[in-house]
Amino acid sequence: MSFALRAVLIGWPAFVMAGVLEMLVFAVVDPASLTWFGQEPIGWSHSAVYTVTFLIFWAVIATAGAITQLLGEPVLSRSTR
C-alpha cells in the first residue's frame, strides 16, 4: 500500500472525527472561559480557539490511527500469505 493511500486512510477519518469532537467539546465549553492552567484567560478570538483545538484533535486522532496501522501491519501481512 502506498504512503499516499495510507495517509488518506488515516487522515480523512481523523479529520471527520476531529470535527465531531470539536462540536461535542464546544457544545459544553465556552471558548471565552478558557484559561492557561487556571490562571489568566487565553485572550484568543473564538475562531482561533476553534482552529487550534481542531488541529490538536486532528493530530491526536491521526496519530492514534497511524500507530494502529503500524502495529497491525505485521499481522495483516502474515495473514495475506
Side-chain angles (χ1 to χ4, degrees), residues 11 14-16 19 21 27 30-32 36-37 39 42 55 60 62-63 65-67 74:
F15 178 85
V16 172
L21 186 58
D30 179 21
W36 289 110
F37 303 105
Q39 301 298 318
I42 289 179
L55 293 174
V60 169
T63 301
I67 290 170

Side-chain angles (χ1 to χ4, degrees), residues 41-78:
I42 289 179
W44 295 353
S45 69
H46 283 37
S47 59
V49 172
Y50 294 143
T51 301
V52 169
T53 55
F54 175 81
L55 293 174
I56 291 170
F57 293 156
W58 192 10
V60 169
I61 296 168
T63 301
I67 290 170
T68 302
Q69 171 71 30
L70 288 173
L71 292 175
E73 189 172 291
V75 174
L76 293 175
S77 63
R78 277 187 269 142

Side-chain angles (χ1 to χ4, degrees), residues 5-24:
L5 181 58
R6 285 183 187 191
V8 170
L9 290 175
I10 293 168
W12 178 245
F15 178 85
V16 172
M17 291 313 298
V20 170
L21 186 58
E22 178 99 4
M23 288 185 283
L24 291 173

Side-chain angles (χ1 to χ4, degrees), residues 23-30:
M23 288 185 283
L24 291 173
V25 167
F26 287 112
V28 294
V29 175
D30 179 21

